[in-house]
Amino acid sequence: MKSLKRHLSLIIPLLAILFSLQAVLSILRIQDSYELTLRNSYSIIIAAGRELKSDEIALRISEFQSLEPIDAESVINKIQGEVSEENLNRLKGNLPYYYSIMLSQFPNQARLAQIADVLKDIKDVKRVESFSKAHDRIYRLLLILKGTIVLFGTILGVVSVLLMIKQVEIWYFEHSERIEIMMLLGAPSWLRNGLLFRLAMMDSVVATLIVSLGSLYLSMQTFLTSLLHEIGVSDSIFMPEFDFIMLLLCALLIANLSVFIVIARITKERKNA
């Protein structure tokens, strides 16, 4: 029981860090996937008094991807039969050309305003509809969500690292007699502190397995995948193999860094004593 408690004291802070990291990775992937969906579905509508060419817009807007004409015949078909043929032909001649502009990336609000101004400066462009209000709400929501998760994960990570350092200090003093004997025998630092590193690496593997299995379990839940599909997010946010390797490397780095910090601090205190 004592041995289990000793390991849990390091595994639990590691779990907090790895869960936070996994959450940040997932949110970033969701954001990237959602931005890709928005980019593919988002377009700027313009009305012009003449035919426009892709080249003249591409020269002005670096994010330009494509220019698609919007058929105005649907408007004509709706009123056909309600007006005379003469007025209908006159209307056809006066209708502006409508176009849908697709962008290669999802712009922020400031850039969207610049793009709208550039389009309005094009000769014979009568109106530009960028749907800025809806765009702004969606973009701000994505930024707030990402910022909140990253801030929360950072705070939790700092607190967890401090707890891990305290636990490594406890390990050090529990094995201080053994370490002192090896020091008197002239053993190098890596050898006499090897037990601390082995314990840290063992707990890192256990914590990584727990988080990875938890993420794998979530990825297999149909309600979650259905929800993601409904909002236009793909299953690419779940990458078990890549995440396991990344989480394991982070866990090993943080755990071993905690051991190094404890050893360096105790060594410095001994020299000053």
Side-chain angles (χ1 to χ4, degrees):
M1 183 61 69
K2 184 178 179 181
S3 177
L4 178 62
K5 184 178 180 181
R6 182 189 302 128
H7 285 286
L8 286 178
S9 298
L10 192 72
I11 290 175
I12 291 176
L14 267 176
L15 284 175
I17 294 174
L18 297 183
F19 270 122
S20 299
L21 180 59
Q22 182 68 70
V24 170
L25 287 174
S26 299
I27 290 297
L28 291 177
R29 289 171 187 162
I30 289 174
Q31 183 188 23
D32 290 341
S33 180
Y34 193 55
E35 283 188 357
L36 179 62
T37 301
L38 288 176
R39 188 195 73 190
N40 293 333
S41 60
Y42 177 75
S43 62
I44 299 173
I45 307 300
I46 61 175
R50 62 178 176 85
E51 289 190 27
L52 297 178
K53 302 296 183 183
S54 298
D55 294 343
E56 61 181 316
I57 297 178
L59 290 173
R60 292 173 169 86
I61 301 174
S62 58
E63 299 93 339
F64 173 78
Q65 180 172 306
S66 64
L67 177 70
E68 299 293 337
I70 299 176
D71 190 10
E73 286 297 324
S74 58
V75 178
I76 301 297
N77 292 335
K78 287 181 181 180
I79 62 174
Q80 196 168 17
E82 299 179 8
V83 297
S84 64
E85 191 68 27
E86 182 181 351
N87 289 334
L88 194 62
N89 291 331
R90 187 180 297 113
L91 179 61
K92 288 181 180 180
N94 293 328
L95 275 177
Y97 295 90
Y98 293 98
Y99 294 94
S100 171
I101 297 178
M102 302 292 291
L103 302 177
S104 60
Q105 63 187 43
F106 195 64
N108 58 34
Q109 187 66 10
R111 180 54 183 161
L112 183 61
Q114 292 176 355
I115 291 173
D117 290 338
V118 169
L119 292 173
K120 290 175 183 177
D121 289 338
I122 298 176
K123 184 180 179 182
D124 295 327
V125 170
K126 298 180 177 181
R127 185 175 178 181
V128 177
E129 180 55 70
S130 60
F131 310 102
S132 58
K133 290 184 179 179
H135 171 282
D136 189 45
R137 286 196 296 267
I138 294 171
Y139 197 81
R140 286 179 184 273
L141 179 62
L142 289 174
L143 290 180
I144 290 172
L145 182 61
K146 180 173 71 173
T148 301
I149 293 294
V150 170
L151 177 62
F152 175 76
T154 302
I155 295 173
L156 188 59
V158 171
V159 173
S160 298
V161 169
L162 293 176
L163 291 175
M164 291 172 61
I165 291 174
K166 288 296 182 183
Q167 178 56 38
V168 173
E169 286 180 349
I170 294 173
W171 285 352
Y172 188 94
F173 290 116
E174 284 180 350
H175 300 280
S176 59
E177 184 177 344
R178 175 178 177 274
I179 294 173
E180 292 289 343
I181 293 174
M182 295 185 71
M183 185 184 298
L184 292 174
L185 293 175
S189 178
W190 66 267
L191 182 59
R192 61 177 182 264
N193 296 302
L195 178 62
L196 301 180
F197 287 106
R198 287 195 297 272
L199 289 172
M201 288 188 286
M202 184 188 308
D203 291 351
S204 298
V205 173
V206 173
T208 304
L209 283 173
I210 293 173
V211 174
S212 298
L213 290 175
S215 300
L216 183 62
Y217 174 78
L218 286 176
S219 68
M220 298 170 63
Q221 301 305 301
T222 54
F223 80 91
L224 181 57
T225 54
S226 300
L227 177 62
L228 292 174
H229 287 156
E230 287 178 5
I231 63 175
V233 177
S234 66
D235 292 334
S236 59
I237 66 167
F238 299 113
M239 304 172 63
E241 297 85 359
F242 173 80
D243 286 351
F244 176 80
I245 295 174
M246 185 173 182
L247 292 176
L248 179 59
L249 291 176
C250 289
L252 290 172
L253 176 63
I254 294 170
N256 286 317
L257 181 61
S258 300
V259 175
F260 274 118
I261 290 173
V262 171
I263 293 173
R265 189 164 65 185
I266 293 176
T267 303
K268 184 178 179 180
E269 289 175 354
R270 282 178 174 172
K271 288 182 179 180
N272 295 334

